Amino acid sequence: MSMHEEINIAMQQWIADRSDCRVISPTALAIAVLQRFEPGRLEPHIEYTSLEHFKQMARRVLAHRFGEEGDDNPAYEDQGQLFSGHLQDRYPIPRKRNAEPQYKLRFLLTERERAWNVEQLRKSASARLAHADALEAEGLAA
């Protein structure tokens, strides 16, 4: 197993262990995993660089798992659930430009946060449909 895979697995485990956390951010995830691998004190420049890299990895892991385009989202598996297989446990919440993404438990989303997610999902779906239509049209014209 590569170091990258080992860090990725540690990140996934940290997320799973905090299923009851209200909000998870890349920085919180990065700090926790960095401390797991280096519990002592690092030279400040090395610590900064390591943390920034871990934050980048954390952003990818969280976006892949919970982002509006995430295809690794753990589907809600209750048999009686109306939207079984389509809802995630967490969703991104609106943020200011250049602010860090945060992922909130679905059942704690405000009406505004839920509406924002619905809008983002619909924008993404519309863009994908337009892309599919363009590709199909190109093939028909050929």
Side-chain angles (χ1 to χ4, degrees):
M1 173 182 332
S2 72
M3 268 195 245
H4 183 82
E5 291 168 328
E6 189 177 353
I7 293 166
N8 218 335
I9 288 168
M11 288 184 172
Q12 296 289 352
Q13 185 62 53
W14 188 89
I15 294 166
D17 291 346
R18 276 140 194 92
S19 61
D20 59 343
C21 253
R22 296 174 68 87
V23 176
I24 292 178
S25 71
T27 297
L29 175 55
I31 289 170
V33 174
L34 178 60
Q35 288 174 346
R36 175 183 171 192
F37 289 104
E38 181 49 61
R41 183 82 176 129
L42 292 170
E43 191 277 326
H45 294 88
I46 302 299
E47 182 176 17
Y48 171 79
T49 305
S50 299
L51 183 58
E52 289 304 308
H53 184 70
F54 274 46
K55 281 169 47 177
Q56 184 59 36
M57 289 180 72
R59 285 185 200 98
R60 279 194 300 263
V61 166
L62 289 165
H64 185 67
R65 188 162 175 171
F66 303 118
E68 58 269 3
E69 288 296 316
D71 57 10
D72 190 32
N73 299 324
Y76 221 60
E77 295 178 6
D78 291 10
Q79 292 291 339
Q81 191 76 9
L82 177 61
F83 298 105
S84 179
H86 297 284
L87 297 177
Q88 303 164 196
D89 292 334
R90 295 178 180 277
Y91 283 86
I93 55 177
R95 60 190 164 121
K96 293 180 181 173
R97 188 178 220 64
N98 297 323
E100 180 173 67
Q102 295 184 332
Y103 300 87
K104 190 174 187 180
L105 287 169
R106 183 180 73 242
F107 73 90
L108 294 174
L109 291 172
T110 65
E111 189 174 319
R112 182 178 153 277
E113 291 165 343
R114 186 174 296 269
W116 180 82
N117 270 282
V118 168
E119 181 183 347
Q120 297 307 307
L121 289 165
R122 289 198 169 129
K123 281 181 186 177
S124 175
S126 294
R128 286 176 171 255
L129 283 172
H131 188 161
D133 289 345
L135 184 61
E136 182 179 50
E138 180 190 54
L140 293 173

